[in-house]
Amino acid sequence: MIPTMLTRVHPVALAGAIALGCGGGGEPHPDASETQPCPIGDLAAPAELEIVHLDAENTVIESTAMAAVPLIQPPQGGWIVLLGARARNIDGCRISLTTALIDPCNDEILKIDQRPTRLIVGSDGWGVSSVTTFSNLEVCPHITSTRDLNDVPYLLRVRIEDDEGRKAQTEITLVPTCPAGMAMCDCQCARDYVVGSQCGPMPAHDSCDLGVTASPR
Amino acid sequence: MKVRSAVIALAVIGSIGCSSDQPDFIPWVLDDLHGKQGFSLRVPEFEVAPGRESQNCYFVRVPDLGVGDDIWIDRVLTGINPGSHHVNVFRVKTIIDLHPDRGTPTMLGDYPATVIEGSDDYKNSPCWGSANWADWPLIANSQHANSGELTTDWNLPTDVAIRLRPGEMLMLQTHYVNAGDQTTKYGARVGINFYRRQATEPPVEMGSLFATQQNIRICASQPRVTYSGTCRFPGATTIAAANGHFHKRGTRFAISAWDGKSIDHPPAAAQFYESLYWNDPPMATSLAVPLPASSGIWWDCEYQWQRPVEFTCDDVNNKDPLHQGDCCYTFGGNTDVGEHCNVFLYYYPKVESDIFCL
């Protein structure tokens, strides 16, 4: 189905407009209007979804199976991946993004992150999560992981759902990958790392046989 | 032997003469613990100016009570004057910027300590930073702050206790607010009693879980938002106590048991904690939530955007690392310009390390 192109207000422009009236302070009561809908595509058609991720420079990258996805160090410590949605046939302004890190060897869900996202419409009629609304999915350290978390494949499941109940879900196998030469990342993403312990050399562990080979970095 | 603190008595007398707006305010009184009873920490009283916040970090070593290498604590009693946003006690582990030996010498009751006064310098003081949260386990906390409930009496479950070791460094963090709808009318005053378990048989060790959503944004153009996360336990466990923590935009904080298998939100029946109050959230201390191995918790932080009270949206925007210009509250300790979404949770038996989900 060919998506319907719709004109919508760019979120950043909308944000700027609201911010203009925002400098006074001192008023404790809410004065912002509710988020307005911004349909993307044909809302009567099934929602469609693809997964995208950010690199360390906030570049949006379409995620492809077995691709390396960069582990990024956030201010709170640890290492995360930043996942977003590329979607259509959905309300792009009132939408929840759920991402999950899953061990494909045992189907255990290691971590879920759920948050609002905003889709920015591109010239192809698809909406992509604005860089400020990507999922912050913690990967390591992880006390319950039974495998290393760096340089081995994990399943990433992504779901979107708008306020009217339109939803879509997909998943992809990606390879969380530490920045080159970042020993602390290698250490904290090792299976046997204990939070708060000193980082020394960690042995690499065998992964389960997924019948696939990771792409080179 | 229990000894009443002379300081407390003076506080009582003093308060009688200066509390005309709330004549029924009765200051908290805690026993002073000594020797095998346990130990008492008392933060020197201080004032918080109107319109200001104050966050201080006090470092003190666990005293040697003469009972061996392990001190088992089975009751924590706090006394906190109104206006407190939180009182947290952490074990000091990996140090990032916040160095105990860079503090000013002080006393926490009978015990020598140092203090790094963060005051309201949330932009620069390491006491306001969060880097150390990555591996400083929480031991105890209280967010109670109203004049009708000055004490929090946490009796741990039978035969469950917190293990401390003499000489171990602790960090006691106070955060007071004297602005908007959270006020510090009677001075900032905090005391904590750690009661030593008297039974001789070995207890089950209590562990803590600290979980946080730090990458949050509550923006004017999207005023009603919810952030959620999960955190798993490696083994079967029982949740004994929990409380949630957010700031002025927070409207509802919920924690539920999560099966570890589904990305769907847990059913309503799985919820075991709810807070509707940012400035006086309840602490559930009588929980007994059993969790099978590889399950965990799911928590939700719901927000409603509103303007800052003491600061302006320009200040909020200046703090936004992504410079969106949308008066977006992002993670930060000051309650007027920053937001939090933190879970403080206590469970047993403790696993090999405390649990952090960041």
Side-chain angles (χ1 to χ4, degrees), chain B residues 71-138:
Chain B
I71 299 172
W72 292 98
I73 304 298
D74 64 1
R75 180 187 176 201
V76 181
L77 177 62
T78 59
I80 303 172
N81 268 18
S84 171
H85 183 57
H86 72 244
V87 173
N88 294 339
V89 184
F90 300 91
R91 301 177 200 270
V92 175
K93 297 287 188 179
T94 306
I95 294 172
I96 302 173
D97 298 330
L98 189 58
H99 293 264
D101 55 4
R102 292 180 186 170
T104 303
T106 186
M107 296 291 288
L108 293 187
D110 293 339
Y111 307 107
T114 59
V115 57
I116 294 178
E117 295 187 4
S119 187
D120 58 358
D121 185 12
Y122 67 89
K123 294 178 182 174
N124 302 304
S125 172
C127 183
W128 283 93
S130 64
N132 294 292
W133 292 7
D135 76 348
W136 287 21
L138 194 66

Side-chain angles (χ1 to χ4, degrees), chain B residues 268-332:
Chain B
Q271 180 181 306
F272 60 85
Y273 177 86
E274 183 179 56
S275 169
L276 303 177
Y277 308 102
W278 77 271
N279 57 358
D280 191 27
M283 178 168 179
T285 56
S286 301
L287 300 174
V289 181
L291 295 178
S294 299
S295 63
I297 61 163
W298 178 303
W299 80 97
D300 306 297
C301 297
E302 298 178 14
Y303 301 96
Q304 169 68 54
W305 182 91
Q306 60 178 286
R307 289 177 181 273
V309 177
E310 303 296 334
F311 291 86
T312 68
C313 278
D314 291 338
D315 298 304
V316 175
N317 288 330
N318 288 338
K319 205 178 119 334
D320 178 1
L322 297 177
H323 309 295
Q324 192 175 335
D326 190 15
C327 200
C328 295
Y329 296 91
T330 55
F331 180 86

Side-chain angles (χ1 to χ4, degrees), chain B residues 60-65 68-69 71 92 164-170:
Chain B
V60 64
R61 292 192 182 278
V62 174
D64 186 348
L65 304 182
D69 288 340
I71 299 172
V92 175
L164 300 177
R165 295 190 171 86
E168 183 177 10
M169 183 69 84
L170 305 180

Side-chain angles (χ1 to χ4, degrees), chain A residues 166-200:
Chain A
R166 299 177 197 89
K167 56 187 168 185
Q169 178 174 306
T170 189
E171 58 189 37
I172 192 170
T173 302
L174 296 172
V175 183
T177 305
C178 286
M182 185 63 76
M184 180 185 291
C185 180
D186 295 338
C187 169
Q188 293 185 338
C189 294
R191 181 192 70 181
D192 297 331
Y193 175 73
V194 176
V195 172
S197 63
Q198 294 295 313
C199 273

Side-chain angles (χ1 to χ4, degrees), chain B residues 9-91:
Chain B
L10 286 172
V12 173
I13 295 168
S15 69
I16 292 171
C18 63
S19 56
S20 58
D21 54 340
Q22 290 232 351
D24 56 345
F25 177 69
I26 302 173
W28 54 264
V29 177
L30 302 184
D31 297 329
D32 286 339
L33 305 183
H34 297 283
K36 295 181 180 179
Q37 291 178 312
F39 61 101
S40 300
L41 302 179
R42 301 287 182 265
V43 173
E45 192 168 349
F46 59 94
E47 297 295 324
V48 182
R52 306 289 286 271
E53 299 193 16
S54 165
Q55 184 152 295
N56 290 342
C57 293
Y58 300 87
F59 295 91
V60 64
R61 292 192 182 278
V62 174
D64 186 348
L65 304 182
V67 294
D69 288 340
D70 289 334
I71 299 172
W72 292 98
I73 304 298
D74 64 1
R75 180 187 176 201
V76 181
L77 177 62
T78 59
I80 303 172
N81 268 18
S84 171
H85 183 57
H86 72 244
V87 173
N88 294 339
V89 184
F90 300 91
R91 301 177 200 270

Side-chain angles (χ1 to χ4, degrees), chain A residues 15 18-19 21-23 26-28 31-34 76 108-109 111-116 118 132 136 144 159 196, chain B residues 135 213-215 217 220-221 223-224 226-228 230 232 261 264 305-309 312-313 325-327 358:
Chain A
I18 291 172
C22 209
E27 295 177 27
D31 61 356
S33 60
E34 292 300 310
Q76 67 265 31
E108 297 274 355
I109 300 176
K111 180 72 179 176
I112 293 173
D113 178 277
Q114 189 174 74
R115 63 184 54 237
R118 278 202 166 192
T132 62
N136 177 116
T144 69
R159 176 190 289 175
Chain B
D135 76 348
Q213 274 279 16
Q214 293 202 33
N215 189 354
R217 304 178 67 77
S221 64
R224 196 185 303 273
T226 301
Y227 287 84
S228 305
T230 63
R232 271 168 41 120
K261 303 180 189 309
D264 296 325
W305 182 91
Q306 60 178 286
R307 289 177 181 273
V309 177
T312 68
C313 278
D326 190 15
C327 200
L358 305 174

